[in-house]
């Protein structure tokens, strides 16, 4: 019986490993294929059959992409939005959550109910658009920052995490003369590293990947982030228009390149827009389980 049980467990383990391998392959392959196409000559890609490795390797696609000042500017806007937006959102959300942990806060239950309602109902696109326009945030960099300062979901996680900290820490700080602000910045915030790292990553990914809201609120080309620009490129599929503003030398080089096509340039632009945020994951992956579970469970 033990031998049969051991064989059964081994077969189950092999089945699980094979299933996970297959899932991982189908999840990773589209990204890998896009990277391969971005390094392959466009005319050769048009013939088909480019799957796992570049058949005719070239970096011409990336040369053209990095010569377009609009893409470089869009990349800069995306980086600035992600860094500033994430830092401000985490800070203001944590402050709000810390205040919601205080039982002496007047109207605490009402505020909590009002926050939870926003998780299920929103004003919609048109009222939000009218609000943004009324606040004067159209074609303004602050439209990337202010609307996302508070995340109710992140606030709930922060609040639960703060409530799980020993009460003696705050009491000791108060005995030493610390007020609420000093206690928060000197005691609470330094102890919240795992949950801050986890929520900061989720917030940063949201900022970096967002292309829809800029397409509604931004018309100035110098404020368009790279994801919105990429979406416009993929929708139009006419790269000659997207790169029409290159200098004359770059345009002549582009016209002479038989290796460059709309698809290859689109894939190269996609890689430029995707790689930076993917590179962040390994540095904060260790905080995922600890940060999310500690912030979402309470004894």
């Amino acid at each position: 019986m033990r031998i049969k049980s051991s064989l059964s467990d081994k077969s189950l383990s092999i089945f699980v490993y094979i299933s996970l391998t297959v899932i991982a392959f189908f999840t990773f392959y589209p990204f890998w294929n896009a990277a391969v196409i971005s390094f392959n000559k466009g005319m050769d890609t048009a013939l088909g059959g480019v799957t796992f490795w570049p058949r005719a390797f070239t970096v011409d696609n990336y040369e053209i992409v990095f010569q377009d000042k609009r893409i470089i500017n869009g990349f800069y806007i995306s980086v600035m939005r992600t860094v500033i937006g994430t830092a401000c959102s985490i800070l203001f959300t944590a402050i709000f959550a810390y205040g919601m942990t205080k039982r002496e806060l007047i109207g605490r239950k009402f505020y909590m109910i009002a926050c939870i309602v926003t998780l299920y109902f929103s004003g919609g696109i048109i009222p939000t658009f009218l609000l943004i326009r009324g606040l004067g945030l159209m074609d303004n960099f602050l439209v990337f920052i202010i609307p996302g300062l508070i995340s109710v979901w992140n606030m709930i996680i922060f609040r639960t995490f703060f409530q799980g900290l020993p009460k003696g820490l705050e009491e000791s700080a108060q005995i030493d003369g610390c007020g609420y602000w000093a206690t928060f910045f000197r005691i609470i915030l330094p102890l919240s590293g795992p949950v801050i790292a986890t929520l900061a990553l989720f917030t940063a990914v949201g900022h970096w990947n967002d292309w829809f809201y800029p397409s509604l609120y931004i018309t100035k080309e110098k404020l368009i982030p790279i994801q919105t620009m990429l979406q416009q490129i993929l929708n139009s599929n006419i790269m000659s228009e997207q790169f029409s503003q290159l200098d004359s030398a770059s345009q002549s080089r582009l016209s002479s390149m038989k290796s460059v096509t709309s698809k290859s340039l689109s894939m190269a632009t996609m890689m430029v827009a995707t790689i930076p945020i993917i590179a962040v994951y390994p540095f904060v992956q260790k905080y995922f389980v600890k940060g999310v579970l500690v912030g979402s469970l309470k004894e």
Side-chain angles (χ1 to χ4, degrees):
M1 292 297 292
R2 291 183 178 179
I3 296 177
K4 291 183 178 180
S5 177
S6 177
L7 292 175
S8 177
D9 292 342
K10 186 176 181 179
S11 300
L12 179 61
S13 299
I14 294 175
F15 174 76
V16 171
Y17 290 145
I18 293 176
S19 300
L20 292 177
T21 302
V22 171
I23 293 174
F25 171 79
F26 283 107
T27 301
F28 179 71
Y29 176 73
F31 175 80
W32 176 258
N33 184 248
V36 168
I37 292 176
S38 71
F39 283 106
N40 197 72
K41 290 184 177 181
M43 298 302 293
D44 182 76
T45 302
L47 300 177
V50 178
T51 54
F52 295 101
W53 304 103
R55 191 166 52 203
F57 182 83
T58 183
V59 293
D60 290 345
N61 301 309
Y62 288 94
E63 289 184 15
I64 296 299
V65 167
F66 286 114
Q67 286 174 1
D68 190 338
K69 294 182 180 179
R70 292 172 300 166
I71 290 183
I72 300 300
N73 181 74
F75 186 85
Y76 171 76
I77 293 296
S78 292
V79 171
M80 294 300 295
R81 174 195 177 176
T82 300
V83 173
I84 298 176
T86 299
C88 291
S89 178
I90 292 298
L91 177 61
F92 280 83
T93 302
I95 292 174
F96 182 32
Y98 180 65
M100 293 296 290
T101 62
K102 302 305 173 186
R103 297 184 179 276
E104 61 270 23
L105 177 65
I106 301 175
R108 176 169 168 264
K109 291 184 179 179
F110 171 78
Y111 297 146
M112 196 63 197
I113 293 174
C115 289
I116 293 176
V117 168
T118 63
L119 292 175
Y120 298 96
F121 304 98
S122 65
I125 294 178
I126 295 177
T128 304
F129 179 86
L130 296 176
L131 175 62
I132 295 297
R133 188 177 65 178
L135 293 174
L137 295 178
M138 298 291 293
D139 287 327
N140 191 324
F141 181 79
L142 292 178
V143 76
F144 298 136
I145 311 301
I146 294 179
L149 278 180
I150 300 295
S151 168
V152 174
W153 178 257
N154 291 348
M155 183 275 290
I156 294 174
I157 295 178
F158 266 126
R159 174 177 171 268
T160 307
F161 178 83
F162 294 157
Q163 288 176 335
L165 295 176
K167 298 298 182 182
L169 293 174
E170 291 191 57
E171 294 175 356
S172 299
Q174 291 173 0
I175 292 174
D176 291 336
C178 291
Y180 288 122
W181 289 104
T183 301
F184 175 76
F185 284 105
R186 295 183 180 181
I187 305 298
I188 303 300
L189 212 57
L191 295 175
S192 307
V195 69
I196 288 177
T198 303
L199 296 182
L201 178 63
F202 293 156
T203 305
V205 171
H207 275 290
W208 183 268
N209 289 338
D210 179 36
W211 62 267
F212 181 68
Y213 272 59
S215 67
L216 294 178
Y217 307 133
I218 300 296
T219 58
K220 292 182 179 179
E221 190 174 87
K222 64 179 182 179
L223 289 177
I224 297 178
I226 192 171
Q227 295 295 349
T228 304
M229 189 175 298
L230 175 60
Q231 186 270 339
Q232 295 173 354
I233 291 174
L234 294 178
N235 276 356
S236 65
N237 201 28
I238 304 176
M239 297 300 296
S240 58
E241 294 182 2
Q242 299 297 328
F243 292 91
S244 61
Q245 297 183 10
L246 291 171
D247 54 68
S248 57
S250 299
Q251 287 184 10
S252 61
R253 175 172 169 75
L254 175 60
S255 60
S256 65
M257 283 182 177
K258 301 299 183 181
S259 61
V260 175
T261 61
S262 298
K263 184 176 182 180
S264 63
L265 287 173
S266 298
M267 294 299 104
T269 306
M270 185 183 301
M271 289 297 104
V272 172
T274 305
I275 291 297
I277 198 65
I278 292 179
V280 176
Y281 274 89
F283 297 99
V284 292
Q285 185 178 8
K286 62 181 179 180
Y287 295 113
F288 279 1
V289 176
K290 183 178 179 181
V292 174
L293 290 183
V294 170
S296 59
L297 300 176
K298 182 180 179 182
E299 296 180 359

